Amino acid sequence: MLPKPSLTVLMASPRGFCAGVDRAILIVERALEKYGPPVYVRHEIVHNRHVVQSLRDKGAVFVDDLQDIPTGRPVVFSAHGVSKAVVGEAEDKALFTLDATCPLVSKVHHEVLRWHSKGHHIIFIGHRGHPEVEGTMGQVPAGAMTLVETVADVADLSMSSDTPMAYATQTTLSVDETMAIVAALKARYPHLQGPKKEDICYATTNRQEAVKRLAPLCDMFLVVGSPNSSNSRQLVQVAMDYGCPRAVLLDTPDPLHRLPLVGGMTVGLTAGASAPESLVQDILRALQDHFSVETKEESGMSEGVSFRLPVILEGND
Ligand code: SF4
């Protein structure tokens, strides 16, 4: 048998699950243990279909509409957060809610409410249609916030330059693109106020930084994550922006056989904040079926972040 061609795989660090995703999954699992199935979850708890399916297998039921939930059963709000209208609807229906909103998303909700109470119009930088954007913009009355997705959108803003304004951002954006949008906003609105500390979360920033370090060394970058995961998609873009000629998003090994992988290549491997390490290892095993793989683990920073569970679910071990 011919020897397998060699492949070097550079493992980005940190990669994969963040503290907010860990917490959200644990909330659903603890609720299932404590209250038994079914536990309802509004929308996907995190943007990863494997995570969603494994919780579904344990008895979680994912719904888009609170009307589909019987009174008395627990309902978990996802890590992306919900609008005030959704909270109000749950109260009207007397639902038993457990909030898995990531504390870093809740922090942005508080910021937005603070700017609104001070009479500022708020520019929100984010992706239209993303649940986090709907939840954050839904903290204040319609018209109090304007969504900006690109630098080009800034030119279309109609507010005069003396309008009291502030900005906030989705937590999972590209750091570089967001900086460019903020710079364009500040050029147009010199009095623009902003968060004391970036809204883009530590996990998004750290995963992008790890990809930036490795991208120039790689012939191809594999990003493990689902297509609806904003921070996973950003990692694909970051890899290409920082010198890797090709970057691919995948959440199973299936697409590997269609990629132009050949012996002697160096491949980067990372995972978005909602992708479990088990999927990374699946990809690695699939590569090892065809190549003699040398893995090099980047010595990235240890994040050491964790968030408390809701009190009602603590001590449920
Ligand atoms: S990506 Fe960031 S904001 Fe989103 S759940 Fe993870 S830590 Fe929280």
Side-chain angles (χ1 to χ4, degrees):
M1 201 168 80
L2 287 172
K4 291 178 187 172
S6 65
L7 196 73
T8 303
V9 177
L10 305 183
M11 310 285 289
S13 176
R15 62 175 180 269
F17 277 3
C18 61
V21 165
D22 267 337
R23 174 178 179 271
I25 294 169
L26 202 52
I27 286 174
V28 179
E29 290 176 344
R30 290 275 174 99
L32 283 162
E33 284 164 21
K34 184 161 181 169
Y35 306 108
V39 165
Y40 289 82
V41 183
R42 185 181 178 275
H43 292 334
E44 292 191 342
I45 183 75
V46 298
H47 276 159
N48 187 276
R49 60 182 173 158
H50 297 270
V51 171
V52 168
Q53 187 55 49
S54 86
L55 292 173
R56 196 175 270 137
D57 293 343
K58 293 175 186 169
V61 176
F62 293 86
V63 296
D64 287 333
D65 194 337
L66 296 184
Q67 298 305 324
D68 298 332
I69 302 170
T71 310
R73 293 309 309 165
V75 54
V76 181
F77 291 150
S78 82
H80 302 111
V82 293
S83 66
K84 289 233 179 281
V86 171
V87 173
E89 188 187 348
E91 282 169 3
D92 290 347
K93 218 173 167 268
L95 293 177
F96 166 33
T97 57
L98 296 163
D99 191 1
T101 303
C102 175
L104 301 182
V105 174
S106 299
K107 171 182 118 6
V108 181
H109 289 184
H110 292 135
E111 263 169 38
V112 160
L113 284 164
R114 188 167 59 85
W115 289 123
H116 179 62
S117 70
K118 288 181 168 181
H120 286 57
H121 185 81
I122 304 151
I123 302 293
F124 192 61
I125 305 171
H127 297 307
R128 190 177 303 282
H130 191 283
E132 184 185 325
V133 172
E134 289 170 1
T136 304
M137 293 190 74
Q139 298 303 306
V140 293
M145 279 175 96
T146 302
L147 181 65
V148 161
E149 294 185 272
T150 63
V151 169
D153 289 347
V154 176
D156 295 335
L157 294 173
S158 58
M159 286 72 74
S160 63
S161 60
D162 56 354
T163 309
M165 301 228 300
Y167 77 91
T169 81
Q170 192 177 329
T171 55
T172 51
L173 300 178
S174 151
V175 173
D176 295 348
E177 278 175 28
T178 306
M179 277 169 56
I181 295 172
V182 171
L185 283 168
K186 284 188 171 162
R188 180 122 191 245
Y189 298 102
H191 304 298
L192 183 77
Q193 309 260 0
K196 282 200 187 69
K197 195 172 170 299
E198 276 301 312
D199 290 333
I200 296 176
C201 75
Y202 79 96
T204 299
T205 306
N206 292 347
R207 280 149 193 71
Q208 288 178 19
E209 290 299 319
V211 169
K212 286 177 189 178
R213 290 191 292 272
L214 296 184
L217 311 174
C218 296
D219 302 299
M220 187 182 294
F221 226 104
L222 303 176
V223 178
V224 183
S226 288
N228 57 350
S229 161
S230 173
N231 80 79
S232 303
R233 289 199 312 270
Q234 302 301 338
L235 294 176
V236 171
Q237 191 58 48
V238 168
M240 292 194 291
D241 288 349
Y242 279 76
C244 183
R246 182 161 186 170
V248 180
L249 182 67
L250 70 179
D251 64 357
T252 71
D254 296 346
L256 287 177
H257 72 271
R258 294 194 293 274
L259 298 177
L261 287 163
V262 292
M265 283 176 99
T266 298
V267 174
L269 183 54
T270 188
S274 49
E277 178 64 15
S278 60
L279 294 182
V280 175
Q281 295 305 319
D282 287 350
I283 303 288
L284 207 47
R285 272 191 297 277
L287 290 172
Q288 285 162 342
D289 286 344
H290 300 282
F291 295 95
S292 167
V293 174
E294 183 189 6
T295 56
K296 293 184 181 170
E297 186 82 35
E298 198 210 5
S299 53
M301 53 156 47
S302 149
E303 293 185 311
V305 178
S306 64
F307 298 128
R308 288 187 64 177
L309 292 179
V311 174
I312 198 167
L313 294 177
E314 278 184 342
N316 206 24
D317 290 322

